[in-house]
Amino acid sequence: MLLPLRLILVLTSILCFTVPSVAQRHFYFEEPFTREAKIPNAVVPLLRDVITDSCRGQISTNGIDVRSWFYASRIDLKSRRSAFIVRSGHHRCLTGVDNAWFWIFLKTGRSYELVLASGTISLDVLKTVTRGLRDIETNAATAATNYTNVFKFDGRVYKRHRCLQASPPDAKPKRVACRT
């Protein structure tokens, strides 16, 4: 009886270390997150700040569960490093015309830090790594132009590193100066 139990424990521990991360690496903002996650308590005050900044004081968040305004998922920026991507719901001051705003929070000790905020239609976590975290690519488009941005971690936050535009959207992309 003890041997089968040990075998089950050994197999379970092997599976835990060989199964891929439950965090996503590709996000298409026109669809729900594949693996939605609960927003950690430590991120809630940061989201209140996001609402205050983005909505320019139009909305009071006192007594409101701000989690209901956002969707969240774990994002795989580095193995064994907790990070969440949060995207806006349907509140006008938190969305763009043709894209969704998103915020990436990285666990630092007992709290979280905002390391990237931008707008896009899709986001991919790349295999390349800068200063310990994976690079990120975003893509957005209008009827006339496709915009691609590659963000790299500078040790504190993500910054645009390479920016491309294609006009019309199916043309070969050309490198352009990144806007801040």
Side-chain angles (χ1 to χ4, degrees):
M1 179 75 175
L2 194 55
L3 185 59
L5 182 58
R6 284 186 183 168
L7 181 60
I8 289 171
L9 289 173
V10 169
L11 290 175
T12 302
S13 64
I14 290 171
L15 280 175
C16 287
F17 290 106
T18 59
V19 172
S21 170
V22 294
Q24 282 183 250
R25 286 196 185 175
H26 173 76
F27 299 88
Y28 180 61
F29 291 120
E30 296 289 314
E31 299 171 356
F33 287 145
T34 304
R35 298 181 184 113
E36 249 186 88
K38 181 183 178 208
I39 297 171
N41 290 336
V43 172
V44 172
L46 301 171
L47 291 176
R48 288 186 189 282
D49 292 344
V50 163
I51 293 169
T52 300
D53 293 346
S54 299
C55 299
R56 294 179 182 87
Q58 300 170 20
I59 299 171
S60 171
T61 61
N62 293 336
I64 294 174
D65 179 15
V66 297
R67 285 183 177 101
S68 66
W69 293 26
F70 300 93
Y71 302 100
S73 178
R74 291 184 180 277
I75 184 169
D76 187 7
L77 301 177
K78 180 179 182 177
S79 62
R80 297 193 176 105
R81 184 88 186 257
S82 182
F84 285 86
I85 183 169
V86 178
R87 77 174 176 145
S88 57
H90 301 289
H91 294 277
R92 289 180 299 161
C93 60
L94 297 174
T95 58
V97 176
D98 290 328
N99 57 42
W101 291 100
F102 70 89
W103 299 266
I104 296 178
F105 298 95
L106 181 66
K107 183 138 176 99
T108 56
R110 292 186 177 158
S111 64
Y112 285 83
E113 301 245 348
L114 177 64
V115 294
L116 178 59
S118 192
T120 193
I121 296 295
S122 69
L123 180 146
D124 288 291
V125 179
L126 305 175
K127 290 182 180 181
T128 54
V129 174
T130 305
R131 299 222 164 122
L133 296 182
R134 290 185 175 92
D135 299 338
I136 294 173
E137 179 180 291
T138 62
N139 287 279
T142 66
T145 307
N146 186 65
Y147 302 91
T148 300
N149 295 308
V150 175
F151 294 85
K152 292 184 178 271
F153 189 64
D154 73 358
R156 195 177 65 77
V157 295
Y158 277 90
K159 293 193 175 176
R160 281 185 180 87
H161 176 74
R162 187 175 65 229
C163 301
L164 305 167
Q165 288 183 6
S167 292
D170 59 352
K172 183 178 178 184
K174 294 180 182 175
R175 193 162 185 171
V176 297
C178 293
R179 295 177 287 173
T180 55

